[in-house]
Amino acid sequence: MSKVIGIGFLGCGNVGSGVWRLLNDFAGEMEHRTGLRFDIRKVLVRNPDKARCIDFAQGVLTTQVEDVLGDPEIDIVLEFLGGEKPACDYLMEALRRGKTVVTANKVAFALHWHELQKTAQEHGAGLYYEAAVCGAIPIIHTLEESLQANRISYIYGIVNGTTNYILTRMSREGAEYADVLADAQKLGLAEPDPSSDVEGLDAAYKLSILASLAFHGRVPFENVHVEGITSVKAEDIRCGQELGYTLKLLAIAKREGLMVETRVHPTFIRNSHPLANVNDAYNAVFLRGHACGEMMFMGRGAGDLPTASAIVSDLVRAASAQKHCYPTFDNTLHPQVALENNTDWQTAFYVRMLAVDKPGVLSHVTQTFTRYEVSIAAMQQKDAAPDGRVTLVFITHRASEKAMMQALRALDTNFACVESVLRVES
Ligand code: HSE
């Protein structure tokens, strides 16, 4: 006999509808495999009269959150509202009432993980959030369970599909950011308000979650350095391509001892790097563990069914669990010592500048770099612009972020004006 689990939805947009479809289309096969049958008892929506392609049974839709949270037959609450408020309050209340939560809400986790987990543990409720990072890619479970035996030293992630789509098209077409964004919005591939994606916040929420799990210590969202793609210029992508690099919005987390750096910014990587070939709206996570070595996980990071794939897997895991598990944030070697936030990381740089074409200018630039211990790895001089100035493109060796910024500020603008600075990881 199958076990029937009562579930309730908070919200039923794109992802909620995907979950409903997957649960319905796949119900027989899933019941056969897992011995579980899911009964969708209540679905919280804003407008029950809105036309929907889903055929909900009479009385399932409700506008009252209490109908979901207060139903004693609902064991598991699935949350698809997204954002901090009111979703977080609802999640907390569900946990307080001992209901297990399955969610795709990265904002709730990045900002309120501690309270959510504490409440879940106090009330013996489960907390499942695979879909919060990289949609269908099972990276949360992998970090929590499958890579237990590793000390992870770094993660490089392409964790935002919208920006990856925009940068891919800019790279292929030589097009400017604003034109590709407008087209992506027209095609429904970017949100009408794309700010969280294009300004890097979405990636930063996800990175804070990934880094916390990978490094077994809380890495607060506030510690993540965030730069988006809004100032990326087609000319820089082209110059990078000429030097053998591809530009990606990378979410980077590195750990050395207790020092952790987390940053999201446009980054040049060598064309030969596996992440350079992750295109369009695909996501990928590339990491290194001391035992497993380098690994890459790639897949769809958004969309109704890819996200539903992660949600329904969590649902099965939650419903089958004898005992819910929670990640530990004790640093295994130094339980009393917190991880430290490193804001002066080392990275290589790409610098494009417009320089006066006369003797001594290049020497001024190289001497200034030398003063701040920035070593040049490659340089290109381009044809003169109509005003007689030339474009100089530098790739540096790894240098301190702070020293590099000081060096650029120290350049004499009568000789050379910095047009763009981008980081390079290899
Ligand atoms: N807006 C996100 C993206 C998907 O573009 O990848 C949800 O996290």
Side-chain angles (χ1 to χ4, degrees):
M1 254 266 286
S2 293
K3 184 170 157 196
V4 180
I5 310 281
I7 61 174
F9 286 15
L10 298 177
C12 195
N14 196 29
V15 174
S17 308
V19 171
W20 187 90
R21 255 176 67 202
L22 197 50
L23 284 175
N24 272 275
D25 297 353
F26 203 49
E29 212 170 312
M30 200 153 60
E31 188 172 347
H32 177 70
R33 271 195 218 161
T34 64
L36 297 168
R37 192 144 52 82
F38 295 101
D39 175 22
I40 306 173
R41 294 181 54 82
K42 288 285 174 198
V43 174
L44 177 74
V45 291
R46 222 176 284 146
N47 176 8
D49 301 323
K50 188 174 138 185
R52 290 187 165 77
C53 46
I54 298 177
D55 199 11
F56 286 112
Q58 187 73 23
V60 168
L61 293 183
T62 175
T63 56
Q64 303 302 310
V65 70
E66 187 55 28
D67 287 345
V68 180
L69 302 185
D71 183 339
E73 302 293 314
I74 290 181
D75 299 311
I76 303 180
V77 172
L78 277 58
E79 185 259 319
F80 311 118
L81 300 168
E84 190 179 3
K85 293 264 175 192
C88 234
D89 297 337
Y90 296 167
L91 292 179
M92 289 291 285
E93 189 52 31
L95 294 170
R96 266 185 227 117
R97 297 187 193 195
K99 294 191 191 300
T100 284
V101 157
V102 175
T103 177
N105 194 328
K106 67 213 149 215
V107 183
F109 266 81
L111 301 183
H112 301 287
W113 196 339
H114 179 70
E115 302 99 281
L116 288 166
Q117 184 164 318
K118 190 164 169 278
T119 311
Q121 283 176 296
E122 278 170 8
H123 294 86
L127 193 52
Y128 296 80
Y129 51 98
E130 181 64 72
V133 181
C134 296
I137 305 176
I139 190 65
I140 300 287
H141 192 62
T142 300
L143 289 172
E144 280 184 354
E145 305 275 331
S146 316
L147 295 178
Q148 291 270 19
N150 283 271
R151 280 193 298 275
I152 293 176
S153 47
Y154 60 75
I155 294 179
Y156 290 124
I158 295 175
V159 297
N160 182 269
T162 306
T163 47
N164 202 34
Y165 175 81
I166 292 172
L167 290 178
T168 301
R169 281 197 49 196
M170 287 177 74
S171 303
R172 280 188 191 140
E173 300 164 23
E176 289 296 350
Y177 163 76
D179 298 331
V180 177
L181 171 63
D183 201 46
Q185 286 174 309
K186 233 185 282 162
L187 295 168
L189 295 168
E191 299 280 343
D193 174 4
S195 46
S196 174
D197 291 320
V198 298
E199 285 166 12
L201 293 172
D202 177 82
Y205 291 128
K206 294 168 181 167
L207 184 62
S208 141
I209 297 171
L210 289 180
S212 298
L213 290 173
F215 302 145
H216 300 279
R218 287 187 195 285
V219 177
F221 167 73
E222 296 73 32
N223 286 5
V224 182
H225 171 90
V226 193
E227 291 170 34
I229 63 162
T230 54
S231 338
V232 170
K233 296 182 187 71
E235 183 171 356
D236 290 310
I237 294 186
R238 197 167 46 247
C239 289
Q241 283 170 335
E242 286 170 14
L243 292 162
Y245 292 98
T246 302
L247 192 72
K248 295 289 180 191
L249 183 72
L250 282 198
I252 301 170
K254 295 186 187 178
R255 174 174 175 186
E256 236 184 276
L258 288 176
M259 297 299 278
V260 168
E261 63 188 66
T262 43
R263 44 197 169 101
V264 170
H265 50 63
T267 312
F268 276 122
I269 45 175
R270 287 205 179 278
N271 292 340
S272 54
H273 194 286
L275 286 171
N277 291 311
V278 176
N279 288 318
D280 302 307
Y282 275 93
N283 282 198
V285 177
F286 185 92
L287 58 79
R288 184 175 193 288
H290 83 289
C292 65
E294 289 184 330
M295 307 176 98
M296 187 165 100
F297 306 83
M298 178 186 163
R300 293 195 185 277
D304 53 0
L305 284 181
T307 311
S309 159
I311 297 263
V312 174
S313 300
D314 266 356
L315 187 56
V316 171
R317 200 173 294 135
S320 329
Q322 300 295 321
K323 184 171 170 292
H324 298 296
C325 295
Y326 314 90
T328 56
F329 293 105
D330 286 338
N331 184 327
T332 39
L333 290 179
H334 309 271
Q336 309 308 329
V337 187
L339 296 174
E340 281 179 55
N341 185 26
N342 177 12
T343 54
D344 190 19
W345 50 79
Q346 299 267 326
T347 183
F349 291 87
Y350 158 102
V351 181
R352 177 168 61 86
M353 55 181 82
L354 276 173
V356 179
D357 198 6
K358 67 176 191 190
V361 169
L362 199 52
S363 151
H364 166 69
V365 175
T366 56
Q367 278 176 22
T368 309
F369 280 12
T370 306
R371 200 156 13 110
Y372 290 92
E373 300 199 14
V374 176
S375 164
I376 294 164
M379 195 220 109
Q380 257 193 358
Q381 178 167 333
K382 309 253 175 200
D383 292 340
D387 66 2
R389 290 188 298 172
V390 289
T391 294
L392 299 178
V393 175
F394 296 90
I395 300 282
T396 74
H397 287 292
R398 274 159 60 85
S400 126
E401 169 91 14
K402 286 185 179 157
M404 185 72 217
M405 295 307 148
Q406 283 173 338
L408 296 176
R409 278 196 295 274
L411 286 172
D412 183 340
T413 50
N414 291 314
F415 287 165
C417 289
V418 175
E419 296 288 297
S420 304
V421 185
L422 292 160
R423 283 99 178 172
V424 181
E425 293 280 328
S426 46

